[in-house]
Amino acid sequence: MAALMEGRNIIVTGVANERSIAWGVVKSLHRAGAGLIFTYRKQRSYERLTQLLDKHGIQPLYCASCDATDDGAIASAMGEIAERIPVVHGFVHSIAYAEKEELQGEYADTSREGFLLAHETSAYSLVAWAKACKPFMTEGGSIVTQSYLGAERVVKNYNVMGVAKASLEASVRYLAEDLGKYRIRVNAISSGPIRTLSAKGGVSGFTDLLGVIERKAPLRRNVDQDEVGDATMFLLSDLARGITGEVLHVDSGYHVLG
Ligand code: 1JT
C-alpha cells in the first residue's frame, strides 16, 4: 500500500525544538512519506531544526526564513518555496505569541499593545498564510492550525491568548467557507496542555493544570506532541477529505466535562 502522505508537499511552521507541537507533526508526516518544507523565524530555531532533521534522517525539500507578522516576509518565503516546489498540498500553522505579563493576573488588565500583538501573531498569521498558500494549492489542500480550550472557556491565566485562539478558531470557519470552493480544507486541533518552550516560559500554574487533566480527564492522562502530530496528519490527509471548518479536540476528552 502506498504511504498515506506520499507525493504530498506540506509546509510546516513553528518548529523551535524537539518539544514543539510542530515537531510531533513533522515526525508523523515524515513517517507517512510527505515532502516537508519548513519556515522558521529565529536563526536559533533554524539551527535546532537542521540538527533535528539531521538526527532523524529527514531531508527537507526547503527551509525558508519567515516572520509571520510581516506580509512581505510571507510573500518572499512563499515565492522561494514556489520556485522549487510548484504544488503545495498542506500547511501546518503552529505559531503563537503573547507577552509573558499578559498570561497572568486579570484579563481585564490586558494592554492594547499586548492584545494586538497576541492577535496579530497568533490569529492573523493564519489568514495571511492561507492567502499566500491558496494560489499554490492547485490540487486541493489542507490547512491545520493549533488551538487550546482557553478559546472556548475561561482558563485561569490564559487570558489574551484565549481571546486570540477564539479569533483563530472563528477564522478556521470563515476560511473553510471561502476556500472550500478551491478544494482547500481548513481545520484546527485543540490539544490539551503540553510542556513546550512556549508553555515553559514561566507560565503560572501550568504544572497544576497538567495535574488536573491527569486526575479528571476521561483518559486520566495528559496528551503529547506525537498524539497531536498523528491527529494533525489525519486532518492533512485524504482520510479527512469530508472534514472542514472543524476544531478537533486531542485532550484526553477533558473538554466534555461540565
Ligand atoms: C503561547 C504560550 C500560546 C503558551 C501557550 C500557548 N498556547 C498554549 N499554551 C500553554 C498554556 C499557557 C497558559 C495556560 C495554559 C496553557 C506562551 C506565550 C506564547 C503563546 O494557562 C492556563 C498560560
Side-chain angles (χ1 to χ4, degrees):
M1 198 176 78
L4 192 57
M5 301 302 287
E6 198 90 56
R8 303 300 169 96
N9 302 321
I10 315 283
I11 302 174
V12 181
T13 63
V15 179
N17 62 32
E18 206 155 10
R19 289 195 149 177
S20 298
I21 288 176
W23 182 249
V25 178
V26 168
K27 285 187 288 176
S28 299
L29 287 174
H30 174 68
R31 215 176 305 121
L36 297 168
I37 301 135
F38 296 91
T39 74
Y40 60 91
R41 175 148 87 155
K42 300 184 189 136
Q43 192 56 31
R44 187 86 194 91
S45 301
Y46 174 67
E47 286 157 17
R48 289 232 182 81
L49 173 65
T50 50
Q51 277 173 12
L52 273 176
L53 293 173
D54 251 16
K55 181 174 146 193
H56 289 257
I58 302 173
Q59 204 85 268
L61 294 178
Y62 186 64
C63 296
S65 159
C66 184
D67 171 357
T69 64
D70 177 345
D71 287 333
I74 293 177
S76 309
M78 197 60 237
E80 290 169 32
I81 293 166
E83 256 176 47
R84 296 161 173 92
I85 303 117
V87 183
V88 173
H89 303 91
F91 179 79
V92 178
H93 180 267
S94 195
I95 299 170
Y97 186 75
E99 294 291 356
K100 211 168 126 181
E101 312 84 71
E102 305 287 3
L103 301 181
Q104 54 198 16
E106 296 194 5
Y107 173 64
D109 290 330
T110 302
S111 69
R112 185 180 301 274
E113 307 83 69
F115 183 97
L116 292 173
L117 179 62
H119 283 71
E120 159 160 68
T121 314
S122 314
Y124 185 73
S125 59
L126 176 71
V127 185
W129 262 113
K131 208 191 292 187
C133 284
K134 190 181 118 180
F136 303 100
M137 289 185 158
T138 49
E139 297 174 2
S142 172
I143 297 172
V144 181
T145 187
Q146 302 298 333
S147 192
Y148 173 63
L149 188 65
E152 309 163 57
R153 313 260 185 84
V154 175
V155 179
K156 196 174 162 58
N157 294 324
Y158 202 60
N159 295 359
V160 74
M161 270 312 302
V163 180
K165 291 297 192 187
S167 166
L168 179 74
E169 291 185 10
S171 279
V172 162
R173 294 185 281 272
Y174 280 90
L175 289 170
E177 159 58 14
D178 287 345
L179 303 187
K181 54 175 111 43
Y182 310 110
R183 291 190 300 142
I184 300 171
R185 299 181 292 104
V186 187
N187 294 288
I189 297 284
S190 182
S191 80
I194 296 179
R195 268 193 203 287
T196 64
L197 187 62
S198 287
K200 248 176 68 182
V203 167
S204 349
F206 190 79
T207 307
D208 300 345
L209 200 68
L210 295 175
V212 170
I213 305 294
E214 216 171 278
R215 283 195 307 280
K216 298 199 171 156
L219 293 180
R220 305 291 196 279
R221 63 172 181 81
N222 282 287
V223 296
D224 64 19
Q225 291 86 338
D226 295 353
E227 293 171 309
V228 174
D230 281 348
T232 301
M233 185 197 68
F234 160 70
L235 288 174
L236 290 166
S237 80
D238 275 353
L239 293 177
R241 63 195 174 279
I243 303 175
T244 195
E246 183 69 290
V247 179
L248 177 61
H249 292 81
V250 180
D251 67 345
S252 299
Y254 185 74
H255 73 285
V256 306
L257 299 180

